[in-house]
Amino acid sequence: MIILSGRKIKKIYGKKSTAQEVLKGIDLEVQEGEFVGIMGPSGSGKTTLLNVLASIDQATEGVIEIAGNNLRRMKEKQLSNFRREQLGFIFQDYNLLDTLTVKENILLPLSISKVTKKEAEDRFQEIIRTLGIEDIIHKYPNEISGGQKQRTSAGRALIGNPTIVFADEPTGALDSKAASALLTNMEKINKDKKVTIMMVTHDPVAASFCSRVLFLKDGQLYTELYKGENNRGQFFQEIMNTQGVLGGDGYDA
């Protein structure tokens, strides 16, 4: 089942003589349960694409639908409710509240929902077991490592049982060990829970955890790779080869 579709997506910043077309009519579809990576050289538009798909920013033209809902037809209040109830977000800088414990940060999205305390606790216990953070739930963000912060951020993104999770460079601030642990957790959640994930990354190692990788170039979809029956090492090599053809490391959107 198609969970996300985009047709002729354009994003233009500025007006008239200063206009810059960052996205140039992108078409894409994401199936329910996919783990999709977005890569491309600096300035290719990958973070801009993620932002418009996630309703963080608004496309200038085109149609974006998530679970049959047309985002561009929603009013701001509708969009805010949809974002809270249907979408999960993992950002590079964690976005945790320093005055709340790990448990309180994870449960925060449910504080204004209709989920019962028991159901919230059941979801919480399952998530912390999956992410391996049972021993830090009463600690504050300044008492835990970067990897633990990002797994807390992932827990907060997942607690609402979102239709899709958007991740923007989730391993960007992590060392290789913490990054590998997070990506392993994300891969497990994707496979076991069938959670759909879209992730922007510049790192081919991170992208090799995905089931499919979209490559952007100059605001357009250049090509895509499917992991298929390949193991992670083989997929990594394919990603490296494609990245080499595109050029650049893709650190910027």
Side-chain angles (χ1 to χ4, degrees):
M1 185 177 96
I2 297 171
I3 201 70
L4 182 152
S5 68
R7 298 187 295 278
K8 297 182 173 23
I9 300 171
K10 292 187 178 183
K11 181 62 182 178
I12 301 170
Y13 291 102
K15 295 181 180 179
K16 296 182 180 179
S17 62
T18 62
Q20 181 184 7
E21 190 175 23
V22 179
L23 301 177
K24 303 175 181 178
I26 290 178
D27 295 319
L28 59 83
E29 290 182 346
V30 176
Q31 297 289 331
E32 185 177 18
E34 274 198 287
F35 189 171
V36 180
I38 304 175
M39 301 189 78
S42 299
S44 61
K46 55 189 182 296
T47 292
T48 301
L49 176 61
L50 189 82
N51 286 343
V52 298
L53 293 176
S55 75
I56 295 171
D57 198 357
Q58 188 173 21
T60 307
E61 295 180 22
V63 177
I64 299 169
E65 293 185 346
I66 298 178
N69 297 279
N70 188 325
L71 301 191
R72 297 196 67 206
R73 289 182 180 172
M74 290 184 183
K75 295 182 179 179
E76 188 54 43
K77 186 175 181 181
Q78 287 178 299
L79 192 57
S80 178
N81 290 336
F82 179 80
R83 193 183 295 123
R84 185 180 69 249
E85 295 168 3
Q86 301 287 334
L87 309 182
F89 302 93
I90 306 174
F91 300 103
Q92 181 176 336
D93 58 0
Y94 319 128
N95 285 355
L96 301 177
L97 296 179
D98 292 336
T99 56
L100 300 182
T101 64
V102 165
K103 181 174 184 177
E104 289 166 341
N105 267 287
I106 291 175
L107 288 171
L108 187 61
L110 299 184
S111 62
I112 53 175
S113 73
K114 296 179 181 178
V115 174
T116 65
K117 286 186 178 181
K118 183 182 184 306
E119 184 179 350
E121 184 64 24
D122 288 345
R123 288 189 196 180
F124 173 75
Q125 291 298 329
E126 183 178 11
I127 284 171
I128 62 172
R129 283 195 301 271
T130 301
L131 294 172
I133 53 174
E134 301 100 313
D135 58 336
I136 63 165
I137 61 172
H138 299 301
K139 293 186 177 181
Y140 290 87
N142 66 352
E143 298 175 320
I144 60 178
S145 69
Q148 291 169 330
K149 288 178 184 177
Q150 196 58 294
R151 279 184 281 169
T152 300
S153 178
R156 182 186 57 195
L158 294 164
I159 195 74
N161 290 337
T163 299
I164 185 168
V165 171
F166 294 97
D168 187 7
E169 297 281 10
T171 62
L174 305 180
D175 61 37
S176 59
K177 183 178 178 180
S180 179
L182 176 69
L183 290 162
T184 299
N185 288 145
M186 290 175 66
E187 184 181 46
K188 178 176 173 59
I189 289 165
N190 167 251
K191 289 181 177 178
D192 294 351
K193 307 295 183 185
K194 306 301 181 187
V195 175
T196 308
I197 302 173
M198 290 199 77
M199 175 179 72
V200 163
T201 183
H202 69 271
D203 182 2
V205 174
S208 70
F209 283 79
C210 299
S211 55
R212 176 164 61 116
V213 180
L214 308 176
F215 291 87
L216 300 189
K217 183 178 181 180
D218 299 327
Q220 296 177 308
L221 183 59
Y222 174 77
T223 191
E224 57 186 328
L225 295 178
Y226 288 83
K227 181 182 280 183
E229 298 301 317
N230 288 338
N231 61 38
R232 194 178 300 144
Q234 292 167 326
F235 197 40
F236 167 80
Q237 193 56 57
E238 283 192 49
I239 293 166
M240 286 289 290
N241 292 342
T242 303
Q243 201 174 36
V245 172
L246 280 170
D249 54 24
Y251 277 86
D252 300 321

